[in-house]
Amino acid sequence: MYSITSSKMKLPQALLVLLSASMLAGCFEARKNTDQLCEQEPSLNCAVLNTSDGQCRIPRTNLIWHRYEMMKAPSEANTIEDYYLLKEYRKCLELASQIQPIEQADLKARRFEALMYSINEQERVTKSLSSSTSPDTLYFLWSETGDHTARRRFLEMEGSPQLDTAELQYALATYYISRDKNKTYQLLNRSLELSSGGKTVNKDVIKALASVTQSLDQPQQSFLWAMVAKQFDIPIASDNELRLMFNLDDSEYDRLRSQANTVAKAIKNGSYSPNLSR
């Protein structure tokens, strides 16, 4: 139903030169500060991250600074963030390790060593979290690593206050999507109900509601959520395609568009109630 489907202003040449110079200075400054941090904090073990390599500088810098913050504020959430930053660095290294260096014969070997380090670190992180009882951590282990024990422990919490958050109701919905469409619909609605709106709105919930209601053969509901999705700049089918898909009366289209305005406004304000979409 949905497909993830600008004008450019030209800056004066002098301004472009200034911008380029300032950006370049910023890059050197960030590199200098990171080098200083690595010298001041030997426990960061920056050498294993191949800091002298020009490739993968941004994900490597992000990882180093995050690990510095973790030293001051260790938590499971920060450990999970460490995993994702390692993942980004690893992806970059996998590409960089394929580049044949010209000037330094041992550069490729150092990149490979850094790649193996990132892989081993991801494994270490997941092991360090394996005994967690946090539902967020259990969902991370299940969704990211396929840990069946974590999935079982997560699902055992269903119905408890621990899972009654916008994020975790959506997490539950991802489990039931292929098992129970009606339950999925309820969980997605609950996720929106618990959302505080604004930038916290999970657009995937809205897309899923349009898809699930279509699977449940509820054309009015599916069209309603398609119109809500449009208000969140989610690409949808054209009006003609939607008409062919749903085959509703013109008056029904108008009513549902008006209802979609109300629903979208409530979601954005963090005041959504499932009654609004019925």
Side-chain angles (χ1 to χ4, degrees):
M1 178 175 175
Y2 305 98
S3 58
I4 303 299
T5 21
S6 71
S7 63
K8 296 182 179 179
M9 298 177 65
K10 293 186 177 179
L11 292 169
Q13 188 64 32
L15 181 56
L16 282 173
V17 172
L18 286 173
L19 283 174
S20 299
S22 65
M23 289 170 65
L24 192 58
C27 289
F28 282 130
E29 188 64 27
R31 174 62 183 271
K32 180 182 176 182
N33 290 339
T34 303
D35 288 345
Q36 289 176 347
L37 176 66
C38 289
E39 289 178 9
Q40 294 166 4
E41 298 289 346
S43 60
L44 288 172
N45 199 16
C46 295
V48 298
L49 296 173
N50 196 19
T51 51
S52 62
D53 191 354
Q55 294 289 330
C56 304
R57 180 184 56 79
I58 292 176
R60 180 173 59 241
T61 299
N62 291 340
L63 177 60
I64 290 170
W65 281 96
H66 176 72
R67 289 190 157 185
Y68 176 61
E69 293 301 320
M70 281 181 65
M71 291 169 59
K72 298 184 290 182
S75 68
E76 287 190 7
N78 277 336
T79 302
I80 291 171
E81 179 64 18
D82 186 56
Y83 177 94
Y84 285 119
L85 289 171
L86 281 164
K87 186 177 181 179
E88 286 302 307
Y89 184 45
R90 174 181 172 178
K91 283 167 56 179
C92 182
L93 284 170
E94 286 172 342
L95 292 174
S97 63
Q98 299 173 27
I99 300 173
Q100 291 293 340
I102 299 174
E103 298 179 359
Q104 300 183 45
D106 64 336
L107 183 55
K108 186 170 184 178
R110 294 204 307 272
R111 286 176 182 167
F112 181 76
E113 289 172 3
L115 173 60
M116 293 308 298
Y117 172 78
S118 66
I119 293 172
N120 291 334
E121 277 293 277
Q122 282 185 284
E123 292 177 357
R124 180 192 62 78
V125 167
T126 55
K127 282 184 179 180
S128 73
L129 295 170
S130 60
S131 61
S132 173
T133 57
S134 162
D136 295 279
T137 302
L138 291 173
Y139 180 66
F140 158 74
L141 291 170
W142 159 32
S143 61
E144 188 66 33
T145 71
D147 187 326
H148 293 292
T149 300
R151 182 183 71 176
R152 175 181 54 77
R153 291 164 61 197
F154 177 83
L155 293 173
E156 285 173 352
M157 296 181 182
E158 184 177 349
S160 71
Q162 289 175 287
L163 262 57
D164 203 26
T165 69
E167 296 78 14
L168 295 179
Q169 288 294 292
Y170 175 70
L172 268 177
T174 65
Y175 173 76
Y176 284 106
I177 185 68
S178 61
R179 295 170 173 84
D180 188 335
K181 292 291 194 299
N182 283 302
K183 187 166 187 174
T184 301
Y185 174 78
Q186 294 169 6
L187 290 166
L188 292 170
N189 265 281
R190 181 60 178 160
S191 177
L192 283 183
E193 189 175 15
L194 293 168
S195 172
S196 57
K199 293 182 179 180
T200 69
V201 175
N202 183 354
K203 295 182 180 181
D204 286 337
V205 175
I206 298 171
K207 289 190 285 187
L209 278 165
S211 178
V212 167
T213 48
Q214 187 179 24
S215 297
L216 289 169
D217 195 22
Q218 297 175 358
Q220 288 89 350
Q221 282 281 298
S222 188
F223 181 80
L224 169 68
W225 286 109
M227 292 299 98
V228 173
K230 189 174 183 179
Q231 297 210 27
F232 282 86
D233 299 321
I234 299 170
I236 63 172
S238 68
D239 286 346
N240 286 338
E241 289 171 326
L242 290 173
R243 285 180 174 273
L244 287 172
M245 190 180 301
F246 296 114
N247 195 29
L248 303 174
D249 294 335
D250 287 343
S251 60
E252 190 71 353
Y253 285 124
D254 293 338
R255 182 187 70 79
L256 291 169
R257 285 192 179 93
S258 177
Q259 185 180 3
N261 291 335
T262 302
V263 171
K265 184 178 179 180
I267 293 172
K268 291 174 182 177
N269 292 338
S271 59
Y272 173 77
S273 166
N275 290 329
L276 294 172
S277 60
R278 288 175 183 156

